[in-house]
Amino acid sequence: MRIFLLASVNPFAPTASGVRSYVLALARELAARGEEVVVLGIGPQKFIVDGFEFVPVIDRISNAFQFALAAMRFARKHSNLRGIVHGQRPDDLVGFHLLAQHVPTLVTLHGAHGLVVLDRRGRVVGSMYRAVERYSLSRTRAILCVSPRTQAYFEANYPHLRDRLHSIPAGIDMDLFRPHDRDGARARFGMSEAARVVLFVGRFEQEKNPLDAMAAYFWVWERHPETRLVMVGNGKLASPLREWAAGTPAPVEILDSVSQEELAWLLSAADVLVVASRNEGLPTVALEALAAGTPVVGTSVGLLPDIVKPGVNGYLVDQISELPFFLERALCETRWATDRCRETVRAFGWDRVAPAVLEVYHEISS
């Protein structure tokens, strides 16, 4: 079976992206199982790595619309394509639905992206996206939802597509994301052994709420000056975050990006991962943190309410105003067991997730 994974990801540029992690890890896992895998994404050139082929449909983009257009041009040029096309957004598949209708398609929904578009771009653009989403989903043979909440949202909005919806979470590389030696991990990043380290990983965009995550850290730092914040990501809010951090004596380090290998070490170096998102599908980085033995403090988004158990592997808040108090509790009042954190996400290993995705591939191709 030939599988095309279509996504606006650039394997040459490490970024804090759950979708990027999902696509590249899925490609590696499928290739290891003997499948022929091609990743269609963003980059300067073709290459073969880890058993799969990468083919760029465009060399760079400044917005998601440009990638959707590039995918449409690819579909026109390769209208006789043979295989399955697996997209990560409904709008990216429109070109295949219009110009290569014989190709079976499926999409992974990493959350309710229409709500993100509405929040970022306003009602007019949000309505346009919803129309494209409706068109594309109605022509997609299978729809994978990364959490039960995501599935429930799309069942409510598209009840006629209920039979095509599958709840299959994103997988985690349990070998890569594992507990590393804490002292070695901290030495790797120049962190003091005595520091209490808060980590934020994600796009610096409104829906990820990095400003509230930083505000929660500052509240804790005023009471516990041994705390330190590390933020990994990029986006429109990068400048405000850096300006705010520069204007305070609290130790804050902001990194543009790190590789998956470095992220695994960074998660082991941290005392807690903070998630302040307004909307999420999973989020993937929270599962990776737990796999590394690091507890999570965050908002009740995506799959987190089904995974995070208070005092066992983290804390969740219903209101963002509660985040500072629970962050302090996690850092200063709770003893965490690394193995208990890791055990809570063992079911998300790719060894269990990939077979479920493959089963859907066989269903839609038969």
Side-chain angles (χ1 to χ4, degrees):
M1 183 189 308
R2 198 173 197 204
I3 302 159
F4 295 87
L5 299 177
L6 175 68
S8 57
V9 299
N10 185 346
F12 296 94
T15 57
S17 166
V19 173
R20 182 181 184 275
S21 298
Y22 175 88
V23 170
L24 298 182
L26 179 58
R28 287 191 293 268
E29 185 67 26
L30 293 174
R33 292 171 179 267
E35 304 294 342
E36 185 180 358
V37 182
V38 180
V39 174
L40 304 175
I42 305 167
Q45 62 191 32
K46 293 182 181 181
F47 67 88
I48 297 176
V49 65
D50 294 333
F52 69 87
E53 182 181 6
F54 173 79
V55 176
V57 299
I58 192 171
D59 59 351
R60 65 177 67 87
I61 63 170
S62 57
N63 56 64
F65 180 66
Q66 290 177 345
F67 184 78
L69 283 180
M72 186 175 294
R73 289 192 293 268
F74 181 90
R76 179 186 295 114
K77 184 176 180 180
H78 302 274
S79 59
N80 60 346
L81 193 74
R82 290 292 179 266
I84 292 173
V85 176
H86 181 174
Q88 311 306 309
R89 284 178 44 150
D91 47 329
D92 291 343
L93 290 170
V94 169
F96 291 91
H97 296 149
L98 288 171
L99 304 169
Q101 297 179 12
H102 67 283
V103 177
T105 62
L106 73 157
V107 64
T108 293
L109 299 173
H110 298 267
H113 189 67
L115 297 179
V116 176
V117 174
L118 181 65
D119 188 40
R120 280 193 196 178
R121 307 293 295 277
R123 184 174 300 177
V124 173
V125 177
S127 297
M128 292 171 61
Y129 177 84
R130 180 67 183 273
V132 172
E133 178 183 82
R134 184 184 304 111
Y135 170 85
S136 187
L137 290 180
S138 67
R139 288 157 178 80
T140 302
R141 296 192 187 182
I143 303 167
L144 311 186
C145 303
V146 297
S147 71
R149 287 191 174 193
T150 300
Q151 182 173 357
Y153 172 85
F154 283 93
E155 280 185 355
N157 283 274
Y158 303 102
H160 61 291
L161 299 178
R162 183 175 289 109
D163 292 343
R164 303 185 200 178
L165 296 171
H166 304 260
S167 184
I168 302 177
I172 310 169
D173 187 336
M174 297 293 287
D175 293 326
L176 176 62
F177 293 98
R178 67 185 191 278
H180 289 285
D181 173 68
R182 180 188 175 90
D183 292 342
R186 292 207 163 187
R188 196 180 185 102
F189 297 101
M191 298 176 183
S192 166
E193 293 181 12
R196 302 179 191 269
V197 180
V198 179
L199 177 63
F200 175 96
V201 181
R203 296 190 312 277
F204 295 158
E205 301 288 351
Q206 193 170 348
E207 67 272 12
K208 299 292 185 179
N209 218 3
L211 291 170
D212 276 334
M214 182 176 278
Y217 159 71
F218 285 149
W219 187 91
V220 174
W221 174 80
E222 288 177 354
R223 291 154 181 78
H224 305 277
E226 72 278 10
T227 55
R228 170 179 178 176
L229 175 65
V230 179
M231 305 188 79
V232 180
N234 47 54
K236 295 178 181 178
L237 296 178
S239 293
L241 286 168
R242 293 181 185 279
E243 290 173 6
W244 196 5
T248 175
V252 177
E253 183 176 6
I254 299 178
L255 307 174
D256 287 332
S257 61
V258 296
S259 67
Q260 288 287 284
E261 291 73 18
E262 286 295 287
L263 177 59
W265 281 94
L266 191 55
L267 288 168
S268 287
D271 288 287
V272 63
L273 176 80
V274 61
V275 176
S277 304
R278 298 175 180 177
N279 296 294
E280 282 284 3
L282 281 178
T284 303
V285 70
L287 305 185
E288 293 168 343
L290 293 172
T294 301
V296 174
V297 175
T299 47
S300 299
V301 294
L303 204 61
L304 293 186
D306 301 316
I307 297 174
V308 175
K309 309 302 179 187
V312 176
N313 59 358
Y315 294 110
L316 295 183
V317 301
D318 295 319
Q319 304 291 331
I320 198 67
S321 59
E322 300 172 331
L323 191 61
F325 309 111
F326 281 93
L327 186 58
E328 181 184 38
R329 180 180 296 182
L331 284 169
C332 307
E333 301 174 15
T334 310
R335 290 183 177 274
W336 304 103
T338 297
D339 56 344
R340 296 185 73 184
C341 289
R342 182 172 173 81
E343 190 60 33
T344 56
V345 294
R346 197 169 293 280
F348 296 90
W350 276 113
D351 60 322
R352 304 189 186 186
V353 174
V357 176
L358 272 170
E359 184 177 346
V360 176
Y361 289 166
H362 289 297
E363 286 179 4
I364 69 171
S365 63
S366 62

